[in-house]
Amino acid sequence: MVLKAVHVSDVPNLDQVHVNTTLSASSARFSIDDKGQAFSFPEFVVMGHRGFGMNMLQSPDKRMKSIKENSILSFNAAADFPIDFIEFDVQVTRDGCPVIFHDIFMFTQEQGEIVQKRVTELSLDEFLSYGPQKDTGNIEKPMLRKTKDGRMFEWKVEKDDPLCTLQDAFDKVKSSLGFNIELKFDDNIVYREEDLVSTLAIISKVVHEHAKNRPIIFSSFHPDAAQLIRKIQRSYPVLFITNGGSELYNDARRNSLEEAVKVCLDGGLQGIVSEVKAILRNPSSVTRIKESDLSLISYGQLNNVGEVVWLQRLMGVEGVIVDLVEEISEAVADIGDRNEGEEKKKVKFSKDELSFLLKLIPKLLQQ
């Protein structure tokens, strides 16, 4: 993709896209005020991570290798359960097409050698040539995946599916299911503003043309990208993602929940997506985030434990991104059924009470 020198002021605002405030019966409702600032999930939200759940090829748990992540098959499998949104990762190919894929690099094997290419350096046709093919006449390139510790695995799952574009997801996934679109960038690259704006404008255009009434959230680990997408469009809420300090970056804005709050307030963002451990280790941060009129949802492997999800709900976290969509969505729905008809009341906990609750899961926090 050839990127022109573009500044955010040159990109037309996409405010003609209207926020859908009415979702399906099982889903949350959210609203934005006239100034596009206030944002909330009145009900506890469950989001499917990369659809029906991420693939952990090194895991002995077969559920982590059941369906190809970030695929139409995975998205529609998640839609069969009482969830509100799916979360997925979007990058833009060299020739300007937004595609759905988590990893920065694509790995394959050619003549016995492992070959890696950046997703953003592939053309759309090259990208789609990896893995299962829609056209049986095409020859698929085998897909490999590299883990954080450097191990390489053949990308094998029980139910495979072709790679897809962002437009494919709009066209083929149940329309009532919301999309949490994570804007994916390489942690090891310092991006120029014009490059970020060019990429974000391409993604925004596809959303504008195909979202219709589908609920949309934008999110990103990249603080500048998160703030820029808020300037480019004012119709959909933007959340900043942080691991809350479990990994340290050169950009201090990424290293704590306190800094995440500043990113949101400085850029007019609507909320934070935090690694769950950061919330559990610093429960008072929930109060600070709420006092800043920001929404808070969490991600992380601990969200696959029902008790951890329950605890966050008591703490005031508004939703969770999960891999075990079936188990967690049904557990949350059961809690809602038991509370149905009861007088709704806001539960508040003192620091001492929260500390006691946290002591129930110390081993989980050490993982």
Side-chain angles (χ1 to χ4, degrees):
M1 176 176 61
V2 178
L3 295 172
K4 299 183 295 181
V6 179
H7 296 280
V8 69
S9 58
D10 300 325
V11 180
N13 191 283
L14 300 181
D15 271 345
Q16 58 266 48
V17 184
H18 298 292
V19 176
N20 175 38
T21 57
T22 304
L23 314 187
S24 65
S26 64
S27 54
R29 295 174 183 270
F30 61 82
S31 61
I32 298 179
D33 68 14
D34 293 338
K35 295 181 180 179
Q37 297 300 313
F39 171 79
S40 63
F41 294 101
E43 303 294 336
F44 193 76
V45 174
V46 177
M47 300 188 184
H49 187 209
R50 308 181 198 174
F52 196 62
M54 69 179 290
N55 294 153
M56 290 186 65
L57 304 177
Q58 70 275 30
S59 173
D61 189 339
K62 292 182 179 180
R63 295 175 298 180
M64 308 303 285
K65 296 176 282 189
S66 61
I67 302 176
K68 173 68 73 61
E69 67 176 39
N70 278 336
S71 68
I72 300 300
L73 182 63
S74 182
F75 299 157
N76 283 324
D80 289 337
F81 296 91
I83 68 170
D84 310 287
F85 285 80
I86 50 173
E87 177 273 351
F88 54 75
D89 313 88
V90 173
Q91 303 180 61
V92 175
T93 61
R94 185 185 71 228
D95 48 353
C97 182
V99 295
I100 300 177
F101 196 73
H102 173 270
D103 300 356
I104 295 297
F105 290 95
M106 182 77 78
F107 292 91
T108 191
Q109 194 164 25
E110 296 178 359
Q111 298 179 343
E113 298 291 329
I114 293 176
V115 177
Q116 73 171 35
K117 294 183 179 180
R118 283 185 180 275
V119 171
T120 54
E121 293 176 350
L122 299 171
S123 68
L124 176 61
D125 287 343
E126 289 174 308
F127 173 77
L128 295 176
S129 70
Y130 291 85
Q133 298 295 293
K134 296 177 183 177
D135 185 343
T136 55
N138 293 341
I139 299 175
E140 69 174 78
K141 293 180 182 177
M143 292 178 64
L144 306 177
R145 185 171 224 177
K146 190 175 184 179
T147 60
K148 283 188 175 182
D149 60 9
R151 290 181 291 167
M152 196 74 69
F153 290 86
E154 186 177 358
W155 204 323
K156 280 191 173 182
V157 292
E158 183 179 336
K159 297 179 181 178
D160 214 337
D161 201 42
L163 300 177
C164 64
T165 68
L166 179 58
Q167 182 177 340
D168 288 336
F170 280 117
D171 292 343
K172 299 176 182 179
V173 176
K174 185 178 178 181
S175 61
S176 61
L177 189 64
F179 287 174
N180 176 358
I181 300 173
E182 181 184 333
L183 307 166
K184 190 79 175 182
F185 295 94
D186 190 337
D187 292 337
N188 299 309
I189 291 179
V190 177
Y191 293 89
R192 298 179 302 168
E193 179 179 305
E194 53 263 37
D195 293 344
L196 289 173
V197 171
S198 296
T199 297
L200 296 174
I202 290 170
I203 296 170
S204 294
K205 184 174 185 294
V206 172
V207 174
H208 167 56
E209 293 176 349
H210 299 280
K212 298 179 181 178
N213 290 326
R214 187 187 299 274
I216 300 293
I217 294 170
F218 287 110
S219 61
S220 184
F221 279 99
H222 196 297
D224 293 329
Q227 292 178 344
L228 285 169
I229 193 67
R230 186 71 190 131
K231 292 179 180 179
I232 288 172
Q233 62 80 44
R234 307 289 291 181
S235 296
Y236 297 118
V238 180
L239 307 184
F240 177 55
I241 315 173
T242 179
N243 61 33
S246 58
E247 295 180 47
L248 295 181
Y249 299 88
N250 291 329
D251 189 336
R253 296 174 296 174
R254 300 187 59 183
N255 291 337
S256 70
L257 284 171
E258 291 76 12
E259 288 295 328
V261 170
K262 292 178 184 178
V263 168
C264 292
L265 297 181
D266 290 345
L269 311 186
Q270 284 68 44
I272 294 170
V273 183
S274 172
E275 216 290 340
V276 57
K277 290 181 182 179
I279 296 172
L280 296 178
R281 287 171 177 152
N282 186 15
S284 63
S285 63
V286 178
T287 301
R288 164 72 170 126
I289 292 167
K290 294 300 180 182
E291 289 175 346
S292 301
D293 292 327
L294 298 172
S295 289
L296 175 63
I297 63 175
S298 70
Y299 74 94
Q301 292 186 42
L302 288 185
N303 279 351
N304 296 319
V305 180
E307 291 80 2
V308 177
V309 172
W310 171 80
L311 175 58
Q312 290 178 81
R313 188 170 184 173
L314 291 179
M315 293 171 66
V317 177
E318 294 172 63
V320 289
I321 299 174
V322 306
D323 294 301
L324 302 184
V325 170
E326 179 175 3
E327 291 86 342
I328 300 302
S329 65
E330 291 180 351
V332 170
D334 287 344
I335 294 172
D337 291 341
R338 287 197 297 271
N339 292 333
E340 191 173 332
E342 296 180 5
E343 183 181 354
K344 292 184 178 179
K345 57 183 179 180
K346 189 173 182 180
V347 180
K348 294 183 179 179
F349 290 87
S350 68
K351 289 184 179 179
D352 289 340
E353 288 170 326
L354 284 173
S355 294
F356 174 75
L357 288 171
L358 291 175
K359 288 177 182 177
L360 299 176
I361 52 171
K363 292 183 180 180
L364 292 173
L365 285 174
Q366 294 171 8
Q367 291 180 1

